[in-house]
Amino acid sequence: MIFQSCNPATGVVGFTRPAWTPAQLESCLAQMRVAQRTWRSHTVEHRCAGLLRLSQLLLAHQAPLAEAICAEVGKLLPECHAEVEKAARLCHYYAEVAPSLLTPQAIPTLASRSGVSFDPLGVVLAVMPWNYPVWQVLRFAVPALAAGNGCLVKPAPSVPQTSAYLAELVAEAGIAPFAMAWLAPAQVETAIVGCDAVAFTGSTQTGSHIAALAGRHIKKSVLELGGSNACIVLADADVPLAAHEAALSRFRDAGQSCNAAKRMIIVPEIAETFIAAFLAEARSLVCGDPTDPRTTLAPLARADLRRLVAAQVEDALLHGAVDVLGSPCPTGAGFFYPATVLDHVSPACRVYHEEVFGPVATVLRAKDEADAIRLANDTPFGLGASLYSADLAKAEALAAELEVGSVFINRHTSSDVRLPFGGVKASGYGRELSEFGLYEFVNVKTYWQR
């Protein structure tokens, strides 16, 4: 197996490196054990000082790191800069809150002294995706490192240059128990056996396989999988706001985000008004070179991803959906795909049930508010949802009926370092970010003294 960059805008192959040999993996695991034991012996304040240094280094190297992301993932250059900035904020956040969150807590009982402490689990293996090669790696790693764990990261095969750059910055920050693991798929189980826990972000199918391997070897796992987020627009909503937010969420990062709004669920009273406003937003997109400031729709990351999206759209059209935007597919170099809006989508269509990882929005027409909630929940996924209504009390009551990990009212779904992030159903289990993410990879140890 080869880790290989291929510029999504041009199709030109760039940075490559081979997968590790078995001996290289065993050597790294042994080194990580030593480094983690030293790291956990330091105070949490010492570890957090390293996170602050990493935050500063990310900002100092923001431009070249963003360019590396752009060259490998194909996202718009401003989106790549935003990813690096968000990762820097993440480091700063945990450097501030981890000391207090990891302080042992006294819990009154009949004992003279009792409570809990928070110990690291050891070395955590992370199998990471390609779409946010800095943010998603650090979203897992930063709280794990703050708690005293070591982090062994298997990057996606298509982002070796960004991954290697990030590893250099972590090392420069003085954080020793962190390494990129250049593993072939067949080596993942060996790495799981050699580590103490597993984190995975990616597809539901691969996540199920990783979870099975972790379970076989009794290793804690956290899974952040796919999503098919509903955007529910009620009759009393601010329709221009809802259309703008929905389009921003759906087409940002070329639609290649698990947490994007993918299914537009609209009630009859505002259906035509919303669709017209949403189409206007979609028509304004400019597809092209992601380094050009005039471009607002980036290419997809790989040729196989474009083929999958095209097949999903073709299936929807065969089963009665209507492409109401009708943009032609770009020709020439690169992996571009046009913004697409599918109306009259039914359960007969693959896109009704599957996650669509590209700039394709599906429109589901609800009969009423109750039917909108039914449609939102009629999916294997349960990552997030957004709901637009002027009646906040009603919106909160309806939000309670949604089977998702997060609900955003009058705003598109997103993530915030201060709030837990994760899903239910086929979107995975466990949480990242906030104190909940910090506690995923610790041993909550009870102590009791007579």
Side-chain angles (χ1 to χ4, degrees), residues 204-241:
T204 299
Q205 181 179 7
T206 304
S208 176
H209 177 64
I210 295 293
L213 292 176
R216 182 183 305 164
H217 299 286
I218 321 297
K219 308 288 184 175
K220 168 71 182 290
S221 61
V222 170
L223 304 180
E224 197 276 281
L225 307 178
S228 190
N229 290 4
C231 170
I232 304 166
V233 186
L234 302 183
D236 60 350
D238 181 334
V239 173
L241 171 68

PDB file of all heavy atoms in Angstrom, residues 204-241:
ATOM      1  N   THR A 204     -19.594   4.438   8.049  1.00  0.00           N
ATOM      2  CA  THR A 204     -20.249   3.475   8.937  1.00  0.00           C
ATOM      3  C   THR A 204     -19.746   2.061   8.685  1.00  0.00           C
ATOM      4  O   THR A 204     -19.526   1.285   9.621  1.00  0.00           O
ATOM      5  CB  THR A 204     -21.768   3.547   8.734  1.00  0.00           C
ATOM      6  OG1 THR A 204     -22.219   4.871   9.058  1.00  0.00           O
ATOM      7  CG2 THR A 204     -22.495   2.551   9.613  1.00  0.00           C
ATOM      8  N   GLN A 205     -19.526   1.700   7.434  1.00  0.00           N
ATOM      9  CA  GLN A 205     -19.081   0.352   7.101  1.00  0.00           C
ATOM     10  C   GLN A 205     -17.709   0.066   7.710  1.00  0.00           C
ATOM     11  O   GLN A 205     -17.506  -0.963   8.371  1.00  0.00           O
ATOM     12  CB  GLN A 205     -19.035   0.171   5.587  1.00  0.00           C
ATOM     13  CG  GLN A 205     -18.600  -1.230   5.153  1.00  0.00           C
ATOM     14  CD  GLN A 205     -18.596  -1.390   3.637  1.00  0.00           C
ATOM     15  OE1 GLN A 205     -18.791  -0.418   2.897  1.00  0.00           O
ATOM     16  NE2 GLN A 205     -18.372  -2.609   3.169  1.00  0.00           N
ATOM     17  N   THR A 206     -16.761   0.979   7.521  1.00  0.00           N
ATOM     18  CA  THR A 206     -15.430   0.770   8.084  1.00  0.00           C
ATOM     19  C   THR A 206     -15.463   0.866   9.601  1.00  0.00           C
ATOM     20  O   THR A 206     -14.781   0.113  10.303  1.00  0.00           O
ATOM     21  CB  THR A 206     -14.444   1.794   7.504  1.00  0.00           C
ATOM     22  OG1 THR A 206     -14.456   1.712   6.071  1.00  0.00           O
ATOM     23  CG2 THR A 206     -13.030   1.534   8.006  1.00  0.00           C
ATOM     24  N   GLY A 207     -16.289   1.767  10.125  1.00  0.00           N
ATOM     25  CA  GLY A 207     -16.406   1.900  11.570  1.00  0.00           C
ATOM     26  C   GLY A 207     -16.915   0.630  12.223  1.00  0.00           C
ATOM     27  O   GLY A 207     -16.460   0.243  13.307  1.00  0.00           O
ATOM     28  N   SER A 208     -17.858  -0.046  11.563  1.00  0.00           N
ATOM     29  CA  SER A 208     -18.358  -1.305  12.093  1.00  0.00           C
ATOM     30  C   SER A 208     -17.242  -2.345  12.172  1.00  0.00           C
ATOM     31  O   SER A 208     -17.138  -3.101  13.148  1.00  0.00           O
ATOM     32  CB  SER A 208     -19.497  -1.820  11.193  1.00  0.00           C
ATOM     33  OG  SER A 208     -19.953  -3.085  11.614  1.00  0.00           O
ATOM     34  N   HIS A 209     -16.382  -2.362  11.155  1.00  0.00           N
ATOM     35  CA  HIS A 209     -15.253  -3.300  11.145  1.00  0.00           C
ATOM     36  C   HIS A 209     -14.259  -2.972  12.260  1.00  0.00           C
ATOM     37  O   HIS A 209     -13.798  -3.872  12.978  1.00  0.00           O
ATOM     38  CB  HIS A 209     -14.574  -3.249   9.777  1.00  0.00           C
ATOM     39  CG  HIS A 209     -13.356  -4.122   9.667  1.00  0.00           C
ATOM     40  ND1 HIS A 209     -13.418  -5.491   9.767  1.00  0.00           N
ATOM     41  CD2 HIS A 209     -12.050  -3.809   9.478  1.00  0.00           C
ATOM     42  CE1 HIS A 209     -12.198  -6.000   9.628  1.00  0.00           C
ATOM     43  NE2 HIS A 209     -11.355  -5.004   9.459  1.00  0.00           N
ATOM     44  N   ILE A 210     -13.954  -1.679  12.422  1.00  0.00           N
ATOM     45  CA  ILE A 210     -13.019  -1.262  13.483  1.00  0.00           C
ATOM     46  C   ILE A 210     -13.588  -1.610  14.855  1.00  0.00           C
ATOM     47  O   ILE A 210     -12.882  -2.106  15.746  1.00  0.00           O
ATOM     48  CB  ILE A 210     -12.737   0.245  13.385  1.00  0.00           C
ATOM     49  CG1 ILE A 210     -11.990   0.580  12.080  1.00  0.00           C
ATOM     50  CG2 ILE A 210     -11.948   0.739  14.593  1.00  0.00           C
ATOM     51  CD1 ILE A 210     -10.601   0.054  11.985  1.00  0.00           C
ATOM     52  N   ALA A 211     -14.886  -1.360  15.047  1.00  0.00           N
ATOM     53  CA  ALA A 211     -15.520  -1.658  16.335  1.00  0.00           C
ATOM     54  C   ALA A 211     -15.473  -3.155  16.629  1.00  0.00           C
ATOM     55  O   ALA A 211     -15.272  -3.570  17.776  1.00  0.00           O
ATOM     56  CB  ALA A 211     -16.960  -1.165  16.339  1.00  0.00           C
ATOM     57  N   ALA A 212     -15.654  -3.982  15.592  1.00  0.00           N
ATOM     58  CA  ALA A 212     -15.594  -5.428  15.787  1.00  0.00           C
ATOM     59  C   ALA A 212     -14.199  -5.866  16.211  1.00  0.00           C
ATOM     60  O   ALA A 212     -14.044  -6.714  17.108  1.00  0.00           O
ATOM     61  CB  ALA A 212     -16.013  -6.140  14.508  1.00  0.00           C
ATOM     62  N   LEU A 213     -13.178  -5.287  15.582  1.00  0.00           N
ATOM     63  CA  LEU A 213     -11.802  -5.617  15.964  1.00  0.00           C
ATOM     64  C   LEU A 213     -11.525  -5.170  17.394  1.00  0.00           C
ATOM     65  O   LEU A 213     -10.910  -5.911  18.181  1.00  0.00           O
ATOM     66  CB  LEU A 213     -10.821  -4.953  15.003  1.00  0.00           C
ATOM     67  CG  LEU A 213     -10.797  -5.463  13.566  1.00  0.00           C
ATOM     68  CD1 LEU A 213      -9.849  -4.630  12.721  1.00  0.00           C
ATOM     69  CD2 LEU A 213     -10.402  -6.929  13.513  1.00  0.00           C
ATOM     70  N   ALA A 214     -11.968  -3.958  17.737  1.00  0.00           N
ATOM     71  CA  ALA A 214     -11.749  -3.463  19.100  1.00  0.00           C
ATOM     72  C   ALA A 214     -12.469  -4.349  20.113  1.00  0.00           C
ATOM     73  O   ALA A 214     -11.927  -4.674  21.174  1.00  0.00           O
ATOM     74  CB  ALA A 214     -12.223  -2.009  19.212  1.00  0.00           C
ATOM     75  N   GLY A 215     -13.700  -4.729  19.796  1.00  0.00           N
ATOM     76  CA  GLY A 215     -14.451  -5.586  20.702  1.00  0.00           C
ATOM     77  C   GLY A 215     -13.815  -6.945  20.876  1.00  0.00           C
ATOM     78  O   GLY A 215     -13.804  -7.511  21.979  1.00  0.00           O
ATOM     79  N   ARG A 216     -13.277  -7.485  19.800  1.00  0.00           N
ATOM     80  CA  ARG A 216     -12.630  -8.798  19.865  1.00  0.00           C
ATOM     81  C   ARG A 216     -11.475  -8.793  20.863  1.00  0.00           C
ATOM     82  O   ARG A 216     -11.218  -9.786  21.537  1.00  0.00           O
ATOM     83  CB  ARG A 216     -12.127  -9.187  18.468  1.00  0.00           C
ATOM     84  CG  ARG A 216     -11.469 -10.558  18.391  1.00  0.00           C
ATOM     85  CD  ARG A 216     -10.947 -10.812  16.993  1.00  0.00           C
ATOM     86  NE  ARG A 216     -12.000 -10.664  15.984  1.00  0.00           N
ATOM     87  CZ  ARG A 216     -11.763 -10.535  14.678  1.00  0.00           C
ATOM     88  NH1 ARG A 216     -10.519 -10.502  14.229  1.00  0.00           N
ATOM     89  NH2 ARG A 216     -12.773 -10.426  13.836  1.00  0.00           N
ATOM     90  N   HIS A 217     -10.805  -7.638  20.961  1.00  0.00           N
ATOM     91  CA  HIS A 217      -9.636  -7.547  21.839  1.00  0.00           C
ATOM     92  C   HIS A 217      -9.926  -6.731  23.103  1.00  0.00           C
ATOM     93  O   HIS A 217      -9.007  -6.335  23.817  1.00  0.00           O
ATOM     94  CB  HIS A 217      -8.461  -6.952  21.066  1.00  0.00           C
ATOM     95  CG  HIS A 217      -8.054  -7.779  19.883  1.00  0.00           C
ATOM     96  ND1 HIS A 217      -7.376  -8.959  20.006  1.00  0.00           N
ATOM     97  CD2 HIS A 217      -8.284  -7.607  18.548  1.00  0.00           C
ATOM     98  CE1 HIS A 217      -7.171  -9.484  18.802  1.00  0.00           C
ATOM     99  NE2 HIS A 217      -7.719  -8.681  17.902  1.00  0.00           N
ATOM    100  N   ILE A 218     -11.189  -6.502  23.397  1.00  0.00           N
ATOM    101  CA  ILE A 218     -11.649  -5.808  24.613  1.00  0.00           C
ATOM    102  C   ILE A 218     -10.955  -4.448  24.744  1.00  0.00           C
ATOM    103  O   ILE A 218     -10.313  -4.128  25.753  1.00  0.00           O
ATOM    104  CB  ILE A 218     -11.430  -6.655  25.889  1.00  0.00           C
ATOM    105  CG1 ILE A 218     -11.733  -8.118  25.629  1.00  0.00           C
ATOM    106  CG2 ILE A 218     -12.313  -6.104  27.016  1.00  0.00           C
ATOM    107  CD1 ILE A 218     -13.163  -8.403  25.244  1.00  0.00           C
ATOM    108  N   LYS A 219     -11.049  -3.644  23.710  1.00  0.00           N
ATOM    109  CA  LYS A 219     -10.475  -2.300  23.722  1.00  0.00           C
ATOM    110  C   LYS A 219     -11.616  -1.275  23.643  1.00  0.00           C
ATOM    111  O   LYS A 219     -12.537  -1.400  22.826  1.00  0.00           O
ATOM    112  CB  LYS A 219      -9.531  -2.092  22.536  1.00  0.00           C
ATOM    113  CG  LYS A 219      -8.462  -3.165  22.369  1.00  0.00           C
ATOM    114  CD  LYS A 219      -7.385  -3.077  23.418  1.00  0.00           C
ATOM    115  CE  LYS A 219      -6.299  -4.120  23.131  1.00  0.00           C
ATOM    116  NZ  LYS A 219      -5.159  -4.011  24.041  1.00  0.00           N
ATOM    117  N   LYS A 220     -11.543  -0.253  24.461  1.00  0.00           N
ATOM    118  CA  LYS A 220     -12.512   0.844  24.405  1.00  0.00           C
ATOM    119  C   LYS A 220     -12.459   1.486  23.020  1.00  0.00           C
ATOM    120  O   LYS A 220     -11.383   1.678  22.447  1.00  0.00           O
ATOM    121  CB  LYS A 220     -12.157   1.883  25.478  1.00  0.00           C
ATOM    122  CG  LYS A 220     -12.885   3.226  25.376  1.00  0.00           C
ATOM    123  CD  LYS A 220     -14.348   3.101  25.749  1.00  0.00           C
ATOM    124  CE  LYS A 220     -15.078   4.434  25.605  1.00  0.00           C
ATOM    125  NZ  LYS A 220     -14.692   5.447  26.597  1.00  0.00           N
ATOM    126  N   SER A 221     -13.617   1.830  22.476  1.00  0.00           N
ATOM    127  CA  SER A 221     -13.645   2.508  21.179  1.00  0.00           C
ATOM    128  C   SER A 221     -14.640   3.650  21.186  1.00  0.00           C
ATOM    129  O   SER A 221     -15.652   3.616  21.886  1.00  0.00           O
ATOM    130  CB  SER A 221     -13.989   1.519  20.049  1.00  0.00           C
ATOM    131  OG  SER A 221     -15.270   0.945  20.238  1.00  0.00           O
ATOM    132  N   VAL A 222     -14.336   4.663  20.391  1.00  0.00           N
ATOM    133  CA  VAL A 222     -15.223   5.793  20.130  1.00  0.00           C
ATOM    134  C   VAL A 222     -15.343   5.913  18.613  1.00  0.00           C
ATOM    135  O   VAL A 222     -14.326   5.949  17.907  1.00  0.00           O
ATOM    136  CB  VAL A 222     -14.677   7.094  20.738  1.00  0.00           C
ATOM    137  CG1 VAL A 222     -15.486   8.294  20.241  1.00  0.00           C
ATOM    138  CG2 VAL A 222     -14.710   7.037  22.255  1.00  0.00           C
ATOM    139  N   LEU A 223     -16.578   5.960  18.119  1.00  0.00           N
ATOM    140  CA  LEU A 223     -16.811   6.009  16.678  1.00  0.00           C
ATOM    141  C   LEU A 223     -17.570   7.274  16.302  1.00  0.00           C
ATOM    142  O   LEU A 223     -18.634   7.546  16.851  1.00  0.00           O
ATOM    143  CB  LEU A 223     -17.635   4.798  16.220  1.00  0.00           C
ATOM    144  CG  LEU A 223     -17.117   3.393  16.540  1.00  0.00           C
ATOM    145  CD1 LEU A 223     -18.079   2.356  15.988  1.00  0.00           C
ATOM    146  CD2 LEU A 223     -15.724   3.184  15.979  1.00  0.00           C
ATOM    147  N   GLU A 224     -17.021   8.040  15.367  1.00  0.00           N
ATOM    148  CA  GLU A 224     -17.721   9.185  14.784  1.00  0.00           C
ATOM    149  C   GLU A 224     -17.884   8.849  13.318  1.00  0.00           C
ATOM    150  O   GLU A 224     -16.926   8.906  12.549  1.00  0.00           O
ATOM    151  CB  GLU A 224     -16.932  10.476  15.005  1.00  0.00           C
ATOM    152  CG  GLU A 224     -17.763  11.743  14.792  1.00  0.00           C
ATOM    153  CD  GLU A 224     -17.835  12.160  13.348  1.00  0.00           C
ATOM    154  OE1 GLU A 224     -16.887  12.749  12.855  1.00  0.00           O
ATOM    155  OE2 GLU A 224     -18.890  11.872  12.702  1.00  0.00           O
ATOM    156  N   LEU A 225     -19.113   8.488  12.926  1.00  0.00           N
ATOM    157  CA  LEU A 225     -19.346   7.918  11.609  1.00  0.00           C
ATOM    158  C   LEU A 225     -20.120   8.891  10.722  1.00  0.00           C
ATOM    159  O   LEU A 225     -20.072  10.094  10.926  1.00  0.00           O
ATOM    160  CB  LEU A 225     -20.070   6.578  11.766  1.00  0.00           C
ATOM    161  CG  LEU A 225     -19.388   5.592  12.727  1.00  0.00           C
ATOM    162  CD1 LEU A 225     -20.193   4.305  12.853  1.00  0.00           C
ATOM    163  CD2 LEU A 225     -17.961   5.298  12.311  1.00  0.00           C
ATOM    164  N   GLY A 226     -20.818   8.360   9.757  1.00  0.00           N
ATOM    165  CA  GLY A 226     -21.471   9.222   8.790  1.00  0.00           C
ATOM    166  C   GLY A 226     -22.675   9.942   9.341  1.00  0.00           C
ATOM    167  O   GLY A 226     -23.131   9.702  10.463  1.00  0.00           O
ATOM    168  N   GLY A 227     -23.196  10.818   8.522  1.00  0.00           N
ATOM    169  CA  GLY A 227     -24.398  11.560   8.893  1.00  0.00           C
ATOM    170  C   GLY A 227     -25.202  11.914   7.669  1.00  0.00           C
ATOM    171  O   GLY A 227     -24.670  12.042   6.569  1.00  0.00           O
ATOM    172  N   SER A 228     -26.508  12.049   7.863  1.00  0.00           N
ATOM    173  CA  SER A 228     -27.386  12.538   6.797  1.00  0.00           C
ATOM    174  C   SER A 228     -28.334  13.548   7.430  1.00  0.00           C
ATOM    175  O   SER A 228     -29.548  13.335   7.520  1.00  0.00           O
ATOM    176  CB  SER A 228     -28.146  11.379   6.149  1.00  0.00           C
ATOM    177  OG  SER A 228     -28.813  11.809   4.986  1.00  0.00           O
ATOM    178  N   ASN A 229     -27.746  14.642   7.883  1.00  0.00           N
ATOM    179  CA  ASN A 229     -28.463  15.608   8.714  1.00  0.00           C
ATOM    180  C   ASN A 229     -29.672  16.207   8.016  1.00  0.00           C
ATOM    181  O   ASN A 229     -29.608  16.600   6.851  1.00  0.00           O
ATOM    182  CB  ASN A 229     -27.525  16.740   9.129  1.00  0.00           C
ATOM    183  CG  ASN A 229     -26.476  16.296  10.122  1.00  0.00           C
ATOM    184  OD1 ASN A 229     -26.381  15.119  10.466  1.00  0.00           O
ATOM    185  ND2 ASN A 229     -25.678  17.236  10.594  1.00  0.00           N
ATOM    186  N   ALA A 230     -30.758  16.283   8.771  1.00  0.00           N
ATOM    187  CA  ALA A 230     -31.969  16.932   8.285  1.00  0.00           C
ATOM    188  C   ALA A 230     -31.912  18.432   8.567  1.00  0.00           C
ATOM    189  O   ALA A 230     -31.419  18.857   9.617  1.00  0.00           O
ATOM    190  CB  ALA A 230     -33.191  16.326   8.966  1.00  0.00           C
ATOM    191  N   CYS A 231     -32.426  19.195   7.629  1.00  0.00           N
ATOM    192  CA  CYS A 231     -32.656  20.634   7.815  1.00  0.00           C
ATOM    193  C   CYS A 231     -34.163  20.836   7.677  1.00  0.00           C
ATOM    194  O   CYS A 231     -34.714  20.766   6.573  1.00  0.00           O
ATOM    195  CB  CYS A 231     -31.890  21.434   6.768  1.00  0.00           C
ATOM    196  SG  CYS A 231     -32.318  23.180   6.731  1.00  0.00           S
ATOM    197  N   ILE A 232     -34.826  21.052   8.812  1.00  0.00           N
ATOM    198  CA  ILE A 232     -36.283  21.113   8.863  1.00  0.00           C
ATOM    199  C   ILE A 232     -36.715  22.581   8.849  1.00  0.00           C
ATOM    200  O   ILE A 232     -36.301  23.362   9.716  1.00  0.00           O
ATOM    201  CB  ILE A 232     -36.809  20.414  10.126  1.00  0.00           C
ATOM    202  CG1 ILE A 232     -36.296  18.967  10.185  1.00  0.00           C
ATOM    203  CG2 ILE A 232     -38.323  20.450  10.178  1.00  0.00           C
ATOM    204  CD1 ILE A 232     -36.481  18.319  11.539  1.00  0.00           C
ATOM    205  N   VAL A 233     -37.550  22.939   7.898  1.00  0.00           N
ATOM    206  CA  VAL A 233     -38.002  24.325   7.773  1.00  0.00           C
ATOM    207  C   VAL A 233     -39.518  24.342   7.962  1.00  0.00           C
ATOM    208  O   VAL A 233     -40.269  23.773   7.153  1.00  0.00           O
ATOM    209  CB  VAL A 233     -37.620  24.924   6.413  1.00  0.00           C
ATOM    210  CG1 VAL A 233     -37.975  26.413   6.375  1.00  0.00           C
ATOM    211  CG2 VAL A 233     -36.125  24.733   6.137  1.00  0.00           C
ATOM    212  N   LEU A 234     -39.981  24.995   9.035  1.00  0.00           N
ATOM    213  CA  LEU A 234     -41.400  25.052   9.364  1.00  0.00           C
ATOM    214  C   LEU A 234     -42.059  26.288   8.749  1.00  0.00           C
ATOM    215  O   LEU A 234     -41.381  27.196   8.244  1.00  0.00           O
ATOM    216  CB  LEU A 234     -41.580  25.036  10.875  1.00  0.00           C
ATOM    217  CG  LEU A 234     -40.974  23.827  11.598  1.00  0.00           C
ATOM    218  CD1 LEU A 234     -41.291  23.888  13.077  1.00  0.00           C
ATOM    219  CD2 LEU A 234     -41.452  22.518  10.982  1.00  0.00           C
ATOM    220  N   ALA A 235     -43.355  26.340   8.838  1.00  0.00           N
ATOM    221  CA  ALA A 235     -44.119  27.380   8.140  1.00  0.00           C
ATOM    222  C   ALA A 235     -43.812  28.775   8.647  1.00  0.00           C
ATOM    223  O   ALA A 235     -43.897  29.749   7.894  1.00  0.00           O
ATOM    224  CB  ALA A 235     -45.618  27.088   8.267  1.00  0.00           C
ATOM    225  N   ASP A 236     -43.461  28.902   9.928  1.00  0.00           N
ATOM    226  CA  ASP A 236     -43.204  30.229  10.497  1.00  0.00           C
ATOM    227  C   ASP A 236     -41.727  30.588  10.478  1.00  0.00           C
ATOM    228  O   ASP A 236     -41.302  31.538  11.139  1.00  0.00           O
ATOM    229  CB  ASP A 236     -43.742  30.302  11.926  1.00  0.00           C
ATOM    230  CG  ASP A 236     -43.091  29.283  12.848  1.00  0.00           C
ATOM    231  OD1 ASP A 236     -42.361  28.397  12.343  1.00  0.00           O
ATOM    232  OD2 ASP A 236     -43.296  29.363  14.077  1.00  0.00           O
ATOM    233  N   ALA A 237     -40.920  29.870   9.724  1.00  0.00           N
ATOM    234  CA  ALA A 237     -39.474  30.111   9.700  1.00  0.00           C
ATOM    235  C   ALA A 237     -39.134  31.367   8.911  1.00  0.00           C
ATOM    236  O   ALA A 237     -39.910  31.828   8.058  1.00  0.00           O
ATOM    237  CB  ALA A 237     -38.760  28.915   9.084  1.00  0.00           C
ATOM    238  N   ASP A 238     -37.960  31.897   9.199  1.00  0.00           N
ATOM    239  CA  ASP A 238     -37.358  32.941   8.369  1.00  0.00           C
ATOM    240  C   ASP A 238     -36.770  32.213   7.156  1.00  0.00           C
ATOM    241  O   ASP A 238     -35.653  31.699   7.211  1.00  0.00           O
ATOM    242  CB  ASP A 238     -36.270  33.658   9.162  1.00  0.00           C
ATOM    243  CG  ASP A 238     -35.603  34.785   8.379  1.00  0.00           C
ATOM    244  OD1 ASP A 238     -35.588  34.719   7.138  1.00  0.00           O
ATOM    245  OD2 ASP A 238     -35.042  35.701   9.018  1.00  0.00           O
ATOM    246  N   VAL A 239     -37.524  32.155   6.079  1.00  0.00           N
ATOM    247  CA  VAL A 239     -37.149  31.302   4.948  1.00  0.00           C
ATOM    248  C   VAL A 239     -35.848  31.746   4.287  1.00  0.00           C
ATOM    249  O   VAL A 239     -34.996  30.902   3.982  1.00  0.00           O
ATOM    250  CB  VAL A 239     -38.303  31.222   3.931  1.00  0.00           C
ATOM    251  CG1 VAL A 239     -37.862  30.485   2.666  1.00  0.00           C
ATOM    252  CG2 VAL A 239     -39.498  30.509   4.562  1.00  0.00           C
ATOM    253  N   PRO A 240     -35.618  33.046   4.037  1.00  0.00           N
ATOM    254  CA  PRO A 240     -34.325  33.430   3.448  1.00  0.00           C
ATOM    255  C   PRO A 240     -33.137  33.010   4.324  1.00  0.00           C
ATOM    256  O   PRO A 240     -32.117  32.548   3.804  1.00  0.00           O
ATOM    257  CB  PRO A 240     -34.428  34.955   3.329  1.00  0.00           C
ATOM    258  CG  PRO A 240     -35.893  35.217   3.212  1.00  0.00           C
ATOM    259  CD  PRO A 240     -36.535  34.207   4.110  1.00  0.00           C
ATOM    260  N   LEU A 241     -33.281  33.158   5.648  1.00  0.00           N
ATOM    261  CA  LEU A 241     -32.218  32.715   6.550  1.00  0.00           C
ATOM    262  C   LEU A 241     -32.021  31.212   6.448  1.00  0.00           C
ATOM    263  O   LEU A 241     -30.889  30.721   6.339  1.00  0.00           O
ATOM    264  CB  LEU A 241     -32.553  33.100   7.996  1.00  0.00           C
ATOM    265  CG  LEU A 241     -31.622  32.508   9.064  1.00  0.00           C
ATOM    266  CD1 LEU A 241     -30.243  33.116   8.956  1.00  0.00           C
ATOM    267  CD2 LEU A 241     -32.212  32.704  10.458  1.00  0.00           C
TER     268      LEU A 241
END
